[in-house]
Amino acid sequence: MERSLTHIALFAALIAILGLVPKIDLAAGVPITAQSLGVMLCGTVLGARRGALAVVLFLVLVAAGLPLLSGGRGGLGVFASPSVGFLLGFPVAAFVAGWVMERTSLAPGIAAAAGAVIGGIGVLYVFGILGMALMLQKSLTEASYLAIAFLPGDVVKAVLAGMVTQSLARMRPASLLSRA
């Protein structure tokens, strides 16, 4: 139990640290950040349940006002912005990425990349597109076109999540809780 809590806290901190990477603002009001890589890694390394809990912890800290989102954003106001769908989708994305890791016998790197694509891109985009459509008063089609700008970077992040997870599996197999 203590080990799980430590990992959950560490991965919540990882997402916060990735917020220090400068964001790229888009016209839609949803920035491109490195934090979605942290969400992917929460799932692929910690597994479905622990990964989702790490992201929930991060979001609770953001809601409490800590400026942990890229660009130093925090507080309840971020949940009333065009980013709301992506933020609310973060725990689900981590859960799905971890679920894929836990349920497949593929090599850890391939399983992690697949989980990151399915959870960290596919699932996250469903939430993100819905949030943008709602907050920007756009149709789902229009919001989907806005989300296309995120795709190249998110594919790179999914590959990185696969590579990092594979490296952890090779160097410290016990640290890969999604396969424990």
Side-chain angles (χ1 to χ4, degrees):
M1 178 65 149
E2 183 178 315
R3 183 174 177 223
S4 288
L5 291 175
T6 302
H7 283 102
I8 289 166
L10 283 172
F11 274 78
L14 172 66
I15 300 170
I17 289 167
L18 288 171
L20 298 174
V21 175
K23 66 179 180 162
I24 300 170
D25 287 313
L26 298 180
V30 179
I32 295 175
T33 76
Q35 290 181 301
S36 56
L37 172 61
V39 171
M40 293 173 187
L41 287 169
C42 282
T44 63
V45 175
L46 297 181
R49 190 177 62 78
R50 288 184 202 94
L53 287 173
V55 179
V56 167
L57 173 59
F58 171 77
L59 291 176
V60 166
L61 295 172
V62 167
L66 294 177
L68 300 178
L69 292 173
S70 67
R73 298 172 303 131
L76 292 176
V78 298
F79 295 97
S81 73
S83 298
V84 67
F86 289 100
L87 296 174
L88 295 178
F90 276 0
V92 182
F95 183 89
V96 171
W99 186 86
V100 170
M101 274 297 288
E102 293 169 356
R103 300 293 188 283
T104 182
S105 60
L106 294 171
I110 294 169
V117 167
I118 295 166
I121 297 176
V123 169
L124 190 56
Y125 278 39
V126 169
F127 281 84
I129 289 167
L130 289 171
M132 284 194 300
L134 178 69
M135 298 309 290
L136 298 172
Q137 298 178 356
K138 303 272 186 198
S139 70
L140 288 176
T141 302
E142 291 170 318
S144 296
Y145 284 126
L146 292 173
I148 289 173
F150 301 107
L151 196 53
D154 285 338
V155 169
V156 170
K157 291 176 215 172
V159 170
L160 284 172
M163 292 168 54
V164 168
T165 305
Q166 178 65 45
S167 294
L168 280 172
R170 209 175 295 138
M171 293 186 306
R172 292 191 48 104
S175 69
L176 201 59
L177 301 179
S178 59
R179 291 286 173 100

